[in-house]
Amino acid sequence: VQLQASGGGLVQAGDSLRLSCAASGRTFSRHVMGWFRQAPGKEREFVATINWSGDSTYYADSVKGRFTISRNNAKNTVYLQMNSLKPEDTAVYYCAAGTIMLLTRRNVNYWGQGTQVTVSS
């Protein structure tokens, strides 16, 4: 599975952005998909994950209620809708694929390249 993330940019606090991650490969629909982020000087951290069918999601406490992860298996794409963005959301965002719902940095099987999200105050 190869992953290509897009949709990052520079926004103001309170704005919204939608990230997309397009996957190649016929096994996309069998994978748990997720998003991680890494701010300068910090470790990569979990943001959200979604199961293969899209009916189960899990979020980091820091984004719960503001971010929504979804997927379209027909388009081999996973999305991250980010609302009410805060300066502390500034980071490089990475999409990821694995087989375990509770994705961590250590059990991700495939990483996409990052997309920069910058939120100004």
Side-chain angles (χ1 to χ4, degrees):
V1 177
Q2 292 185 318
L3 305 174
Q4 180 78 31
S6 62
L10 171 63
V11 297
Q12 294 187 330
D15 285 351
S16 299
L17 269 180
R18 188 175 82 155
L19 305 183
S20 298
C21 177
S24 63
R26 294 175 292 176
T27 62
F28 171 80
S29 62
R30 298 184 214 154
H31 281 83
V32 171
M33 298 298 298
W35 290 92
F36 288 72
R37 65 186 182 186
Q38 187 167 17
K42 295 188 177 180
E43 291 187 342
R44 192 171 298 188
E45 65 176 7
F46 168 80
V47 174
T49 189
I50 187 166
N51 70 339
W52 68 272
S53 63
D55 60 1
S56 180
T57 57
Y58 185 67
Y59 297 94
D61 287 343
S62 58
V63 306
K64 201 173 294 183
R66 299 188 298 121
F67 290 13
T68 302
I69 187 171
S70 62
R71 67 191 295 164
N72 184 328
N73 287 341
K75 294 184 177 181
N76 277 13
T77 303
V78 62
Y79 305 97
L80 185 68
Q81 178 66 44
M82 305 185 293
N83 298 331
S84 302
L85 282 161
K86 304 175 181 180
E88 50 264 44
D89 294 318
T90 294
V92 177
Y93 283 70
Y94 298 88
C95 59
T99 57
I100 301 173
M101 185 63 181
L102 293 180
L103 283 177
T104 70
R105 288 176 295 152
R106 290 172 177 79
N107 63 28
V108 167
N109 297 129
Y110 304 98
W111 289 102
Q113 96 295 352
T115 185
Q116 176 71 47
V117 173
T118 304
V119 185
S120 63
S121 57

